[in-house]
Amino acid sequence: MTTSFGGGGRSAVGVVNEVHIPKFHGVLNLSCNAISLPSTTRSLSLIRALSTPATVTEKRSKVEIFKEQSNFIRYPLNEELLTDAPNINEPATQLIKFHGSYQQYNRDERGSRTYSFMLRTKNPCGKVPNQLYLTMDDLADQFGIGTLRLTTRQTFQLHGVPKKDLKTVMSTIIQNMGSTLGACGDLNRNVLAPAAPFVRKDYLFAQKTAENIAALLTPQSGFYYDIWVDGERVLTSEPPEVIKARNDNSHGTNFTDSPEPIYGTQFLPRKFKIAVTVPTDNSVDLLTNDIGVVVVTDDAGEPQGFNIYVGGGMGRTHRLEATFPRLAEPLGYVPKEDILYAVKAIVVTQRENGRRDDRKYSRMKYLISSWGVEKFRNVVEEYYGKKFEPLRELPEWEFKSHLGWHQQGDGSLFCGLHVDNGRIGGKMKKTLREVIEKYNLNVRITPNQNIILTDIRASWKRPITTALAQAGLLEPRFVDPLNITAMACPAFPLCPLAITEAERGIPDILKRIRAVFEKIGLKYNESVVVRITGCPNGCARPYMAELGLVGDGPNSYQGNKNQTSLAQSFMDKVKILDLEKVLEPLFYHWKQKRHSKESFGDFTTRIGFEKLKQYIEKWEGPVAPARHNLRLFADKETYEAIDELAKLQNKSAHQLAMEVIRNFVASSQNGKSE
């Protein structure tokens, strides 16, 4: 495990490539087997786009050849789906990603492989209509493993679908206001935006922009509908500005002879991620994306344009220093009417210049790292046809979870619910469906694997709160603060890339961190941002956490808080059994030596790695505080009621009762008692 520290903070200024982003702190990154803390030039002349490579002399990866020979992502997937085999061949395995699916097998099993498929939806801004939510809930029971997974990119993942049921499941999603097109593969993925349904000009404009960008970069050649609904297109109306921007070829961006005017036969070199947000709201982890877009408003709150950042990305390869996570850096400002043209120009620059020979280096972050942002900006401006203006000044960033009850601004309420690791199952799944169906609610998925119920009448608040609490979906003040900000990827048993546990391992790790807090006397309402991934690809964005654990071998991680600065690798090959030996001295010295309101991530950055390692080497343990024997339950009925709720959260009655008491005391001390 690799451990890393110092990445994202909550109130300090993160400086990355001269990007000053306040209100986020440093990170500790552990590579379990490790721990970490924050931490070919081409011609500038315009390149004419060709839909198919002419004479190819450069080395290309296998996936590039699969794409070229696929008839726009159809062959041989169309044939492989018709065979009796439970799996598909290698080219089809790569192509089905563009359709929003991964082939997987159960890695807990030994001997023969049991194949299934994971499906991922495409939900710009995390918006999920009522009809689609109920459909996904049904499909999970009928064809999946009985659970739904909320992802860090505001989508659903449906695991365990057999090959023979793929067409039924895909067509059902399409027919019920959903899509999986482009949720995976070498093209633009789901576009993030703040999930909160605030009826405010800036939030509404950010969400509309995210939806327009998603539409602009949606494949046009029809392969998705040919495979899953026999060519029957679902008719949707696109805004005229999207159609105009897609068709515009005044600066050589388009393939004029191709059914894919932006992508051509080869699509992009690798995945491409975009996020849109408003000033102060960094719920989308803006700087981890290939393109980060921020709405800029005037003094009256009217949107005027956008600041654009480029070159973020989380994935890396263990012990290969030429691969690295990277934060996006400033590109410039554009007026609001130009945003689609600017985004298209950036995408085309990556399409024409990103590496296609070695997929480890194909993300846009490596192109910008190689060229430098000045050269990258110059090339983008040729495709954009204009010069970028200087960035507009923005206020400090904050992490906003949007959990709990809030006014939408139109007379209705919304309720943000914490879902541990985004996994919806059991009684929680049953109750959520009942509430969503009974009150005809729409849903939003957040970039932190949580769910928001929208458009709730004030008179519904009490019965909805009661029903949700009985299923373990509690108001945020009753949830352990460590859990509120923690994230983990699915990892074992189905992810083929996993090296260690993540989702299945994080509950125990959080309990152990809480135990260390209690041992050294840290208050219950104090917390650190913990993120865990089973491999270095970084799906849970561990390099932006205060304590990031990145799988690096059996029971071993690399170790990496706040979402505006990168964690740096602090220790390699940290065995999970030794986690307390590393964290206890670090948390103790943070408690004893921190500045006022200094986060753990900022503390690790200020102190430095050398001193932190001395703390670990010389650690002999704190003086254990006196324990008090308090009787929490005066009657059997109260105990049994608490015990039933505790079991839903995999806790004891005593643990849950103590959490509730601590949260109440903390909120009272902060003047937030209700």
Side-chain angles (χ1 to χ4, degrees):
M1 150 168 110
T2 294
T3 307
S4 62
F5 297 101
R10 278 179 290 218
S11 60
V13 177
V15 181
V16 182
N17 295 325
E18 302 305 311
V19 188
H20 295 263
I21 311 229
K23 283 289 181 190
F24 281 105
H25 302 267
V27 182
L28 178 57
N29 193 309
L30 302 172
S31 162
C32 279
N33 279 339
I35 295 185
S36 63
L37 304 185
S39 86
T40 3
T41 305
R42 300 196 184 187
S43 170
L44 287 179
S45 60
L46 191 64
I47 304 163
R48 182 175 299 280
L50 299 173
S51 64
T52 343
T55 304
V56 178
T57 56
E58 295 181 1
K59 177 186 175 183
R60 293 188 295 159
S61 69
K62 285 193 300 182
V63 176
E64 290 299 312
I65 297 170
F66 294 157
K67 288 187 288 187
E68 181 183 350
Q69 298 174 349
S70 71
N71 184 23
F72 293 97
I73 319 300
R74 292 174 174 87
Y75 174 82
L77 176 61
N78 53 351
E79 295 183 355
E80 285 290 300
L81 290 171
L82 299 176
T83 70
D84 293 331
N87 61 316
I88 55 180
N89 65 17
E90 184 182 3
T93 299
Q94 293 298 328
L95 298 181
I96 201 171
K97 295 177 183 178
F98 291 75
H99 297 256
S101 180
Y102 283 85
Q103 179 170 270
Q104 301 180 330
Y105 64 92
N106 191 337
R107 297 176 64 189
D108 283 346
E109 295 180 354
R110 296 293 178 262
S112 61
R113 293 182 175 182
T114 302
Y115 287 96
S116 66
F117 290 79
M118 179 273 284
L119 276 63
R120 182 185 296 154
T121 58
K122 197 94 172 275
N123 308 91
C125 319
K127 291 183 178 180
V128 182
N130 176 273
Q131 179 181 339
L132 178 60
Y133 184 92
L134 299 178
T135 298
M136 296 302 297
D137 183 81
D138 287 337
L139 292 174
D141 291 337
Q142 295 171 15
F143 302 102
I145 59 174
T147 66
L148 285 171
R149 186 61 151 69
L150 312 178
T151 78
T152 58
R153 292 205 72 79
Q154 297 184 275
T155 67
F156 286 116
Q157 284 185 177
L158 182 63
H159 292 92
V161 178
K163 174 184 161 184
K164 64 182 179 62
D165 295 324
L166 271 175
K167 190 166 184 177
T168 298
V169 175
M170 287 284 204
S171 61
T172 302
I173 292 172
I174 293 168
Q175 292 159 5
N176 287 275
M177 307 176 69
S179 175
T180 63
L181 172 59
C184 322
D186 299 341
L187 71 177
N188 180 54
R189 302 289 186 89
N190 198 51
V191 181
L192 304 188
F198 291 124
V199 182
R200 275 175 37 180
K201 291 178 182 178
D202 53 352
Y203 274 85
L204 293 174
F205 192 63
Q207 291 158 2
K208 178 186 176 184
T209 300
E211 291 171 326
N212 284 351
I213 291 172
L216 172 74
L217 299 176
T218 294
Q220 299 296 300
S221 54
F223 62 83
Y224 180 68
Y225 300 101
D226 287 349
I227 295 288
W228 305 113
V229 288
D230 301 322
E232 181 183 346
R233 294 262 190 155
V234 175
L235 295 178
T236 56
S237 60
E238 288 187 321
E241 62 266 31
V242 171
I243 298 172
K244 182 180 178 182
R246 182 189 297 123
N247 294 336
D248 178 75
N249 196 31
S250 56
H251 301 287
T253 54
N254 287 23
F255 297 114
T256 56
D257 57 346
S258 174
E260 290 291 351
I262 295 177
Y263 291 128
T265 61
Q266 300 307 113
F267 287 77
L268 298 181
R270 278 296 302 273
K271 67 180 77 169
F272 201 89
K273 298 182 177 182
I274 301 175
V276 184
T277 192
V278 301
T280 75
D281 189 337
N282 198 25
S283 59
V284 300
D285 274 354
L286 182 79
L287 299 183
T288 66
N289 291 271
D290 291 275
I291 304 178
V293 178
V294 186
V295 175
V296 176
T297 62
D298 61 17
D299 293 340
E302 290 289 343
Q304 299 299 305
F306 301 90
N307 281 355
I308 300 178
Y309 303 81
V310 292
M314 292 287 95
R316 67 183 180 90
T317 302
H318 280 325
R319 287 170 289 282
L320 187 58
E321 294 300 319
T323 67
F324 44 81
R326 188 181 192 275
L327 294 189
E329 55 187 310
L331 185 69
Y333 169 89
V334 298
K336 61 183 180 182
E337 60 271 14
D338 284 357
I339 186 59
L340 296 181
Y341 299 90
V343 167
K344 181 180 176 183
I346 297 166
V347 169
V348 169
T349 301
Q350 162 66 354
R351 181 195 74 196
E352 295 297 304
N353 299 282
R355 287 183 60 172
R356 294 181 183 265
D357 60 326
D358 188 336
R359 290 176 65 81
K360 291 192 299 293
Y361 305 106
S362 293
R363 291 290 299 275
M364 194 172 75
K365 64 182 178 180
Y366 295 112
L367 176 64
I368 295 176
S369 181
S370 171
W371 279 7
V373 75
E374 291 301 327
K375 175 179 177 178
F376 183 82
R377 182 184 293 112
N378 290 337
V379 175
V380 172
E381 287 173 345
E382 292 191 46
Y383 289 119
Y384 174 36
K386 298 180 181 180
K387 293 288 185 181
F388 288 98
E389 300 177 33
L391 286 188
R392 301 303 193 255
E393 186 176 350
L394 297 176
E396 292 184 341
W397 292 101
E398 300 174 10
F399 169 71
K400 298 188 178 183
S401 70
H402 303 300
L403 296 178
W405 288 92
H406 303 269
Q407 294 284 344
Q408 291 184 177
D410 59 357
S412 295
L413 304 172
F414 73 86
C415 180
L417 300 168
H418 172 73
V419 180
D420 279 343
N421 307 308
R423 182 69 67 180
I424 298 177
K427 188 171 183 180
M428 177 198 301
K429 180 173 175 293
K430 180 176 182 291
T431 301
L432 270 175
R433 187 206 171 87
E434 290 171 350
V435 168
I436 290 167
E437 190 168 30
K438 177 178 179 179
Y439 297 99
N440 195 32
L441 303 179
N442 295 316
V443 166
R444 305 276 180 98
I445 302 171
T446 82
N448 283 274
Q449 304 173 313
N450 296 319
I451 193 168
I452 294 175
L453 309 183
T454 72
D455 307 311
I456 301 172
R457 295 180 188 174
S459 61
W460 298 344
K461 179 178 179 181
R462 183 179 295 275
I464 288 177
T465 300
T466 301
L468 295 173
Q470 290 173 347
L473 288 161
L474 306 175
E475 293 186 47
R477 61 197 176 105
F478 298 128
V479 180
D480 189 323
L482 287 171
N483 291 64
I484 289 288
T485 55
M487 292 200 298
C489 69
F492 289 121
L494 294 177
C495 179
L497 303 177
I499 304 169
T500 60
E501 295 284 4
E503 180 183 341
R504 296 194 303 194
I506 195 172
D508 181 64
I509 289 175
L510 293 178
K511 289 178 184 177
R512 290 167 63 185
I513 292 173
R514 175 57 63 198
V516 172
F517 271 37
E518 292 178 350
K519 181 177 180 180
I520 64 177
L522 279 167
K523 295 179 180 179
Y524 183 77
N525 61 346
E526 296 184 279
S527 185
V528 297
V529 175
V530 180
R531 295 180 179 177
I532 303 178
T533 57
C535 81
N537 279 352
C539 293
R541 303 190 287 271
Y543 312 112
M544 303 298 287
E546 285 180 294
L547 174 58
L549 306 181
V550 181
D552 192 29
N555 299 313
S556 178
Y557 296 82
Q558 295 181 356
N560 204 13
K561 165 184 171 170
N562 205 46
Q563 289 91 302
T564 55
S565 58
L566 272 180
Q568 297 176 0
S569 183
F570 176 57
M571 295 180 68
D572 290 330
K573 298 291 182 182
V574 177
K575 293 296 181 184
I576 199 66
L577 294 176
D578 295 333
L579 198 58
E580 285 83 354
K581 294 179 182 178
V582 174
L583 297 183
E584 188 175 298
L586 297 178
F587 289 153
Y588 178 81
H589 285 285
W590 170 46
K591 175 177 179 284
Q592 298 296 325
K593 301 177 181 179
R594 61 187 167 181
H595 294 165
S596 176
K597 298 183 179 179
E598 186 175 38
S599 72
F600 178 65
D602 285 345
F603 169 77
T604 60
T605 302
R606 177 173 60 84
I607 296 298
F609 284 10
E610 185 175 344
K611 191 68 174 177
L612 294 172
K613 289 179 179 178
Q614 290 177 14
Y615 291 159
I616 296 170
E617 293 167 1
K618 298 177 180 180
W619 182 245
E620 295 181 356
V623 177
R627 299 187 64 86
H628 302 280
N629 184 17
L630 301 179
R631 184 176 181 184
L632 292 175
F633 304 105
D635 59 89
K636 182 179 179 182
E637 290 76 14
T638 302
Y639 169 79
E640 290 176 345
I642 293 291
D643 187 52
E644 184 178 353
L645 279 175
K647 287 176 180 177
L648 294 172
Q649 301 181 49
N650 194 28
K651 298 173 183 174
S652 69
H654 185 275
Q655 287 176 317
L656 180 58
M658 288 302 296
E659 285 183 14
V660 172
I661 293 169
R662 286 174 179 140
N663 277 319
F664 177 78
V665 171
S667 63
S668 297
Q669 291 173 342
N670 292 333
K672 298 177 181 178
S673 159
E674 294 185 0

